[in-house]
Amino acid sequence: MKKAISEFFKMVLIFLAGRFKKFTMRFKKTKTMKDYMMVYYSQAKSARLTGRKVAWITSGGPVEPLIAMDIIPIYPENHGAMIGASKMGGYLCGLAENMGYSADLCSYARSDISCATVNGGPIGGLPRPDMLVCCNNICGTVLKWYEIQARYFNVPLFILDTPFCHTEYTEEMGRYVRAQFDEYFVFLEKACGKKFDFEKLNHVGHLSHQGQLLWQAVLDTAMHKPSPMSAFDAFYHLALIVTLRGTQDVLDYYTWLLSYMKDRIARGIGAVPNEKYRLLWDNIPIWHRTRWLSEKFASHNACLVADTYTTAWCGALRYIDENNFIDSAAEAHARIYLNIGIDQMAKMVIEMIDKYDVDGFVLHSNRSCKPYSFGQLDIQKIVERERGIPCLMLEADMTDERTFSESQISTRIDAYMEIIKERKNKK
Amino acid sequence: MKELTELKKVVSHPYAYIRKYKKQTGKKIVGYCCSYAPEEIIWAAGALPVRLFGTNQNIHLADTHLQSYCCSLVRGILEEALDKTLDFIDGVIFPHTCDSFQRLSDIWRLNITGQFHIDVVLPVKLDTPSAKKYLADVLEKFRKDLGRALGKDITDAQLARSVKTYNKIRALVGKLYELRCANPQIISGADFHAVIKAAMIMDRDQYLKILTQIIKQLQKAKPRKNRADAKRLVLSGSVCTHPDMYGIIEKAGGVIVWDDLCTGYRYFEGQMNEKIAPLKAITARYLKRVICPAKHMELRGRGENLIRLVKQSKAQGVVFLLLKFCDPHAFDYPYLKEMLEAEKIPFMLLDMEAELPSAGQLQTRFETFIQIL
């Protein structure tokens, strides 16, 4: 009882803090990422108080229907990134291993699974879900992970199954994914006890599309030399397009961010003070070493100007029809970067190499992410053959910092940068 | 038994058998790596479906395509494709399985030439109306894709014949499981393993003939007296390519009376309805079969099935054979473990790396477990 009361007060405090933040934000000229995230998480953590439902959803899943139903979406993967950035991954992964989960499993999944049982981590655990929404367009791991959480929390689980598009997106696939969107609406109606609001969905879908366009425009500023932003900046600013896609907040923030980057371009300010070499990054960031890596590359006057990871949140734009959200969403969700064959991925990488005019390609071989990492060696070969730029593969883990060898990685980056420099000087 | 000797010869040198078979019959050989491969359609098309198990030895070519944290099964299969061990294959099909096999399909398509390649992108969930419809669509598409690759139409009559053959094989293998469960002395573990594995390699008509003979003789044979002290075990996991696993367990004082493996009972279970359109019957079987953990059906279906198997086979314990880096199985292990604990069923976990511990070490580990039963 005592615990329940203290929990309640904690919730009230978090709720008030969020309200206060939102209030003070009105008077600020520019709202920071921290402001938005603080309001977002305090709203989510006090959802019980305000009677709103909470859904946990995968990063590639269709969040727009949740927003249309006034459900608060929570992203365990974003939580995983926070756990990694605060260097708590090793500890939480260790707890999961004590529960019987193999140390070879995805570290987002491991840390989230154990975190749910101890309410630990950087923000004291995620708010309890009322439902789970899992879209397997990013991996098969999320399916197993969400099954585990569905058993643990005993809440309904919706799976949006997006068939893998090795070489094609067939008519059968289109029909299947589209039909599942209808099943999704029914699922949400049942979970919320109210009719689905299609009009609102169109509005949210429109905002989502606008948000993705803006995010693409922000990333595009990196085409400029020197680049006003680096991939490490993109890793940071990404949080909003992931968590608040489909809301006005995203448009406000990225509109500001875009003008900020344009201003930097106008004034000739680069993310790396003396940008000489431009690189492309592949795979999820090494969250526990982003600052270290950023400084490491900057010390060589190298800027990671773009990456395949943050572009994934606007990579399917070509399939989206802003006036027909539901029908086009099916295809857009099935044909995202990770749900296609590696030859098509290589093609997109080459497009980025040309677009951002990079001198090298750095691949994070991520022990935690098999669909992202297997095939990298072939993509590397294709890139070397087609564009002849040097590639570097770094083996690490996105969240679990325990096996990271700083000195080894440091030496490899130094050696790689020597090759890049030599090659560029010859030109 | 001369029939058993013949099967064992095939299983110990499968590629020699297939090469000779291809030369003699002129049939096309179609490789696959997953128990969800719609074999009935391949066999109906007049081609021989062959399950690939890969190699554990000297993997080096695959290292230039797959990182060290990929499971040995996927790496081993790619190695044999790259080093031309599998050059007798006319085509390969990849049913959607897990993240690793998904990428193996891509890598194979880009690096192995001179054969056809078909992705059978099955649904991952199998318990909704739209998934059922999609599964039927995918199998129909596969029938067309395969027909095109082989340059022929695959007719309903051919499919119906194939369904009949597979039904007979699966029913007989089911009978073999029951016979061995009732009296494990009736056939040694190693021989049993050979019979199971041959079903994924041999000409299916020829296999059916031999299997029929074997079952007849086993039913007639006076079974040796049951070793009362041998502890009854169920094997659970994905593939068991270790030919001697059954023998080692027997030496350690145990006996495998049933399994939950995709190269075991999961591959054989379930009959197809011969009274409906054959493709419909094939589809229906997949929707009823106990799932591979890379698929989704019920949240506790695999655990309930495992407990049912233990109880039905009167087993005293479970041995989990988990392939290192196999995500779907590793994610399920803690909940399966919990369900077994709740039922007070003892179990042990054997994490299988590319290189297995020696037979002696394995035997000691099994002995330690079996002694507590």
Side-chain angles (χ1 to χ4, degrees):
Chain A
M1 190 60 193
K2 223 175 169 182
K3 205 183 159 204
I5 293 172
S6 81
E7 272 295 306
F8 178 77
F9 276 112
K10 213 168 112 192
M11 216 187 266
V12 172
L13 269 178
I14 293 171
F15 174 71
L16 291 175
R19 274 296 153 105
F20 179 71
K21 189 85 203 171
K22 206 169 181 185
F23 180 72
T24 55
M25 273 164 71
R26 273 207 245 155
F27 303 105
K28 266 178 135 177
K29 236 201 244 149
T30 52
K31 296 161 199 168
T32 66
M33 173 67 78
K34 268 200 179 129
D35 292 334
Y36 282 111
M37 293 316 274
M38 161 109 189
V39 172
Y40 164 64
Y41 273 111
S42 62
Q43 271 184 353
K45 287 212 136 195
S46 53
R48 291 271 169 289
L49 215 60
T50 50
R52 288 176 72 188
K53 301 263 185 211
V54 170
W56 286 15
I57 182 169
T58 53
S59 63
V63 65
E64 294 81 358
L66 296 179
I67 300 206
M69 289 295 264
D70 202 31
I71 299 166
I72 301 177
I74 285 287
Y75 294 83
E77 289 159 72
N78 176 252
H79 186 221
M82 285 198 285
I83 289 170
S86 47
K87 296 194 173 51
M88 296 169 109
Y91 168 69
L92 288 169
C93 286
L95 284 186
E97 286 151 30
N98 293 341
M99 292 163 76
Y101 292 98
S102 158
D104 300 317
L105 290 170
C106 162
S107 53
Y108 276 178
R110 267 180 297 149
S111 51
D112 181 63
I113 289 165
S114 69
C115 199
T117 65
V118 296
N119 276 333
I123 57 165
L126 291 175
R128 203 189 141 82
D130 297 295
M131 68 199 90
L132 300 164
V133 179
C134 170
C135 178
N136 60 4
N137 57 356
I138 45 173
C139 60
T141 285
V142 289
L143 174 76
K144 303 311 293 175
W145 175 2
Y146 277 59
E147 283 177 350
I148 288 162
Q149 298 300 35
R151 282 191 292 262
Y152 181 72
F153 290 109
N154 194 25
V155 292
L157 164 66
F158 182 79
I159 298 161
L160 183 77
D161 180 16
T162 46
F164 196 84
C165 310
H166 287 281
T167 51
E168 56 180 348
Y169 179 70
T170 65
E171 258 176 59
E172 296 86 6
M173 292 175 180
R175 277 202 301 274
Y176 177 39
V177 183
R178 178 62 189 83
Q180 291 178 80
F181 268 83
D182 288 335
E183 293 165 2
Y184 186 24
F185 302 140
V186 173
F187 171 85
L188 294 180
E189 283 182 339
K190 218 171 133 192
C192 298
K194 61 177 181 187
K195 278 263 157 234
F196 193 83
D197 190 341
F198 287 98
E199 209 163 297
K200 196 163 172 209
L201 179 64
N202 272 334
H203 176 63
V204 174
H206 183 73
L207 289 179
S208 168
H209 183 247
Q210 293 296 315
Q212 293 176 61
L213 285 174
L214 268 171
W215 179 240
Q216 179 74 68
V218 168
L219 296 178
D220 283 352
T221 62
M223 280 157 45
H224 191 267
K225 292 177 188 171
S227 172
M229 66 181 287
S230 73
F232 297 101
D233 296 318
F235 298 158
Y236 175 76
H237 296 295
L238 173 75
L240 279 197
I241 192 76
V242 178
T243 54
L244 292 169
R245 194 161 70 241
T247 68
Q248 183 62 38
D249 285 349
V250 171
L251 305 194
D252 295 345
Y253 184 74
Y254 289 138
T255 304
W256 165 78
L257 187 61
L258 181 60
S259 65
Y260 174 76
M261 291 304 168
K262 281 184 173 164
D263 179 58
R264 282 170 73 95
I265 290 176
R267 294 195 284 150
I269 305 171
V272 170
N274 188 18
E275 177 193 299
K276 275 193 187 149
Y277 314 104
R278 297 162 64 83
L279 304 171
L280 178 68
W281 173 270
D282 184 53
N283 213 312
I284 300 172
I286 306 170
W287 291 114
H288 46 93
R289 285 297 190 292
T290 46
R291 174 174 297 190
W292 178 79
L293 274 171
S294 165
E295 286 166 1
K296 179 78 205 166
F297 280 107
S299 75
H300 287 283
N301 297 325
C303 181
L304 294 174
V305 293
D307 68 282
T308 58
Y309 170 67
T310 57
T311 43
W313 278 270
C314 46
L317 267 172
R318 71 185 89 173
Y319 306 114
I320 299 176
D321 175 356
E322 61 170 321
N323 298 315
N324 187 356
F325 173 77
I326 301 175
D327 289 329
S328 62
E331 185 165 3
H333 281 84
R335 302 185 82 169
I336 68 155
Y337 186 66
L338 279 184
N339 210 42
I340 54 177
I342 51 180
D343 40 346
Q344 289 175 72
M345 289 167 82
K347 206 175 140 220
M348 287 170 80
V349 166
I350 288 168
E351 279 167 19
M352 289 183 77
I353 287 170
D354 295 344
K355 176 176 176 181
Y356 294 100
D357 193 20
V358 298
D359 309 298
F361 184 34
V362 181
L363 302 96
H364 169 203
S365 167
N366 182 358
R367 291 183 71 90
S368 264
C369 193
K370 294 184 170 80
Y372 213 151
S373 305
F374 296 163
Q376 272 179 324
L377 287 157
D378 279 76
I379 292 176
Q380 179 180 338
K381 280 181 204 118
I382 295 170
V383 164
E384 283 168 347
R385 188 180 67 219
E386 299 288 323
R387 287 296 177 271
I389 58 170
C391 300
L392 169 69
M393 190 171 281
L394 301 173
E395 191 168 314
D397 186 284
M398 58 197 183
T399 309
D400 189 345
E401 76 283 359
R402 290 174 297 180
T403 52
F404 191 82
S405 159
E406 209 165 87
S407 59
Q408 203 186 346
I409 300 270
S410 179
T411 314
R412 295 208 51 212
I413 293 174
D414 290 339
Y416 174 68
M417 285 315 301
E418 283 313 310
I419 299 170
I420 294 273
K421 284 171 200 172
E422 214 170 278
R423 204 172 157 271
K424 187 122 185 177
N425 291 340
K426 259 190 213 154
K427 268 187 182 171
Chain B
M1 210 189 293
K2 74 172 197 304
E3 287 86 0
L4 258 176
T5 316
E6 196 178 338
L7 288 193
K8 276 154 85 176
K9 206 175 123 197
V10 170
V11 169
S12 54
H13 300 286
Y15 300 153
Y17 166 83
I18 297 165
R19 276 177 207 284
K20 197 170 147 204
Y21 175 81
K22 187 175 173 174
K23 215 168 166 187
Q24 283 171 351
T25 62
K27 281 198 180 189
K28 302 278 189 213
I29 310 295
V30 178
Y32 72 92
C33 331
C34 168
S35 69
Y36 280 87
E39 271 191 43
E40 300 88 348
I41 303 176
I42 303 171
W43 184 242
L48 179 69
V50 175
R51 178 147 182 170
L52 309 175
F53 295 99
T55 173
N56 276 335
Q57 258 120 56
N58 194 19
I59 293 181
H60 61 285
L61 296 172
D63 284 344
T64 63
H65 298 274
L66 285 167
Q67 290 93 324
S68 59
Y69 48 94
C70 176
C71 76
S72 58
L73 182 66
V74 166
R75 282 153 45 90
I77 292 172
L78 182 62
E79 183 72 23
E80 287 199 334
L82 292 167
D83 74 9
K84 310 256 191 270
T85 305
L86 299 178
D87 63 358
F88 53 81
I89 280 181
D90 296 286
V92 65
I93 69 160
F94 282 97
H96 186 269
T97 305
C98 59
D99 292 338
S100 304
F101 271 110
Q102 175 180 297
R103 288 301 179 210
L104 175 65
S105 167
D106 284 341
I107 294 169
W108 191 299
R109 179 167 52 80
L110 296 177
N111 293 283
I112 312 291
T113 50
Q115 50 180 241
F116 67 82
H117 181 116
I118 302 174
D119 287 304
V120 190
V121 193
L122 301 167
V124 168
K125 59 176 179 182
L126 296 169
D127 55 357
T128 63
S130 62
K132 288 172 189 176
K133 168 81 176 64
Y134 175 64
L135 176 61
D137 285 351
V138 169
L139 293 180
E140 183 60 54
K141 181 177 185 295
F142 174 62
R143 171 199 196 156
K144 285 193 196 111
D145 288 347
L146 182 69
R148 202 173 306 127
L150 294 171
K152 59 170 83 171
D153 279 335
I154 303 167
T155 65
D156 268 6
Q158 288 167 327
L159 279 172
R161 255 201 311 280
S162 177
V163 161
K164 260 190 189 146
T165 305
Y166 272 86
N167 269 346
K168 279 184 195 152
I169 290 176
R170 285 175 183 145
L172 282 173
V173 172
K175 186 81 213 159
L176 180 64
Y177 268 82
E178 280 164 21
L179 286 171
R180 184 167 151 81
C181 185
N183 186 346
Q185 295 301 306
I186 204 162
I187 178 170
S188 78
D191 288 355
F192 178 76
H193 186 251
V195 175
I196 298 301
K197 203 169 169 185
M200 300 165 211
I201 299 164
M202 278 180 85
D203 177 288
R204 301 306 190 261
D205 288 332
Q206 191 190 353
Y207 177 75
L208 177 58
K209 248 186 234 158
I210 293 178
L211 183 64
T212 312
Q213 284 307 315
I214 290 175
I215 302 285
K216 244 187 218 161
Q217 293 187 42
L218 287 180
Q219 277 173 323
K220 266 194 289 183
K222 264 218 185 96
R224 276 173 290 168
K225 228 179 161 191
N226 203 348
R227 260 182 68 197
D229 58 332
K231 301 291 190 225
R232 298 167 67 86
L233 303 170
V234 169
L235 263 186
S236 176
S238 53
V239 296
C240 175
T241 49
H242 196 293
D244 221 18
M245 192 63 81
Y246 285 71
I248 295 169
I249 288 174
E250 281 170 18
K251 273 190 205 137
V255 63
I256 300 298
V257 291
W258 212 273
D259 71 61
D260 172 34
L261 302 172
C262 73
T263 49
Y265 195 66
R266 280 214 304 277
Y267 169 73
F268 295 103
E269 74 176 340
Q271 286 282 300
M272 292 168 285
N273 186 347
E274 293 176 14
K275 292 195 183 100
I276 60 174
L279 215 51
K280 264 194 186 155
I282 297 169
T283 310
R285 177 175 167 269
Y286 283 124
L287 296 171
K288 275 190 300 201
R289 218 195 85 178
V290 169
I291 54 163
C292 153
K295 299 257 180 293
H296 174 85
M297 194 110 80
E298 289 145 2
L299 282 175
R300 290 181 181 79
R302 289 195 62 229
E304 283 157 8
N305 176 60
L306 185 56
I307 289 167
R308 193 165 48 236
L309 290 183
V310 169
K311 287 186 175 165
Q312 275 172 7
S313 62
K314 299 191 175 61
Q316 290 147 292
V318 172
V319 175
F320 286 103
L321 284 184
L322 296 193
L323 198 59
K324 193 168 167 60
F325 303 118
C326 172
D327 290 353
H329 277 278
F331 271 119
D332 267 7
Y333 169 68
Y335 108 83
L336 295 178
K337 178 175 95 126
E338 229 169 75
M339 283 182 77
L340 290 181
E341 278 164 353
E343 292 282 331
K344 301 201 165 45
I345 298 167
F347 57 87
M348 71 169 276
L349 167 65
L350 188 67
D351 222 336
M352 292 192 298
E353 312 242 0
E355 280 189 28
L356 274 170
S358 72
Q361 278 172 310
L362 273 178
Q363 193 179 321
T364 312
R365 288 195 57 187
F366 287 128
E367 275 167 4
T368 315
F369 173 61
I370 286 164
Q371 272 161 14
I372 61 150
L373 295 176

